[in-house]
Amino acid sequence: MSIEKDEAAAGGRRGRKARRTRESLAGAALRLVLDRGLAAVAVEDVTELADVSRRTFSRYFPSREDAVLDCLRADFDRINAALAARPADETPLTAYRTALRAWLRDGAEPAWHRRPDMRELFALIAREPSLTAAYRRICVDAEEASIRIAAERLGLDAERDLRPAVAIGLGVAALQAAARAWVRRPAPGAPDGGGADGGTDDLPELLEQAFAALTAEPPPTPTPDPDPDPDPAAA
């Protein structure tokens, strides 16, 4: 084997090891926080469960919140990878919508509606201000990456041309609206689940509804007419 191939193989092994370490830390943080609550989990608890040092944790994550939410960051990375792979002749909004569909259908890396505890995680994000802030940072970073991808596909400057940002912003809004509706609905098997199987794991359907709503705003509520003038003949 050549020196170049040896170095490539070593780099590949290091990359795989780093990825496994990151995933181990993120998985440990998520399990502990869902089990105990955020306030009862320290970084040292995470490193002990993952069997790594505190220094190793700091190499991958700036905080326990970032470790807990790393699975969501990875989801947005997959969405953006799918967006970058879309044909150049698709409009940004269509490309983003198709990328979301690909992410939802991915059997190798299941999306939110096919992973246990995701509803619980989103509920925890809503309750814990530090997790809310960390999730918002992840969302902003992911949206900015999506905008850059969309602009590059069109040969535009995202800093000067607002069209990529507007199109991606609409797609992100549809995703977030669908996700909020999905989180608030009962999980499969819950007493109030509804449906033949007692569940409402319908994030893909909700996403389609959200995108349809982008072009079909609800009509305004009619304003009742004021009382008509009395009929002079009836006086």
Side-chain angles (χ1 to χ4, degrees), residues 59-144:
R59 193 180 307 145
Y60 292 94
F61 300 110
S63 70
R64 59 184 175 165
E65 287 84 0
D66 287 281
V68 170
L69 301 180
D70 195 55
C71 61
L72 302 182
R73 177 204 56 76
D75 283 315
F76 289 121
D77 285 349
R78 285 191 285 274
I79 292 168
N80 278 332
L83 174 62
R86 296 306 306 161
D89 60 351
E90 284 184 344
T91 63
L93 186 58
T94 297
Y96 191 77
R97 182 178 188 175
T98 308
L100 290 175
R101 288 170 172 167
W103 166 65
L104 290 168
R105 293 194 303 264
D106 190 346
E109 298 284 354
W112 299 336
H113 63 302
R114 291 189 283 123
R115 295 209 307 264
D117 300 328
M118 282 297 102
R119 276 189 173 90
E120 188 179 352
L121 174 58
F122 277 108
L124 189 63
I125 291 170
R127 293 197 304 270
E128 295 285 354
S130 62
L131 283 177
T132 303
Y135 178 64
R136 285 176 178 168
R137 287 198 306 272
I138 290 171
C139 291
V140 168
D141 289 345
E143 183 171 353
E144 289 180 349

Side-chain angles (χ1 to χ4, degrees), residues 188-212:
D192 298 328
D197 61 353
T200 55
D201 258 357
D202 50 3
L203 180 57
E205 179 183 343
L206 289 168
L207 185 66
E208 295 301 323
Q209 293 176 15
F211 270 94

Side-chain angles (χ1 to χ4, degrees), residues 10-70:
R13 286 193 296 271
R14 284 195 296 270
R16 290 191 295 272
K17 182 178 179 180
R19 185 167 56 253
R20 287 195 297 269
T21 301
R22 184 185 186 101
E23 290 173 352
S24 176
L25 284 165
L30 180 59
R31 289 195 301 274
L32 287 171
V33 167
L34 290 180
D35 184 46
R36 303 179 187 175
L38 184 65
V41 176
V43 169
E44 288 72 20
D45 298 318
V46 177
T47 58
E48 182 178 355
L49 182 58
D51 195 23
V52 299
S53 68
R54 179 67 169 79
R55 182 177 179 181
T56 298
F57 179 93
S58 298
R59 193 180 307 145
Y60 292 94
F61 300 110
S63 70
R64 59 184 175 165
E65 287 84 0
D66 287 281
V68 170
L69 301 180
D70 195 55

Side-chain angles (χ1 to χ4, degrees), residues 139-161:
C139 291
V140 168
D141 289 345
E143 183 171 353
E144 289 180 349
S146 299
I147 293 168
R148 289 194 298 271
I149 293 169
E152 289 171 3
R153 294 172 74 256
L154 295 171
L156 300 175
D157 182 350
E159 299 297 325
R160 296 176 178 273
D161 197 314

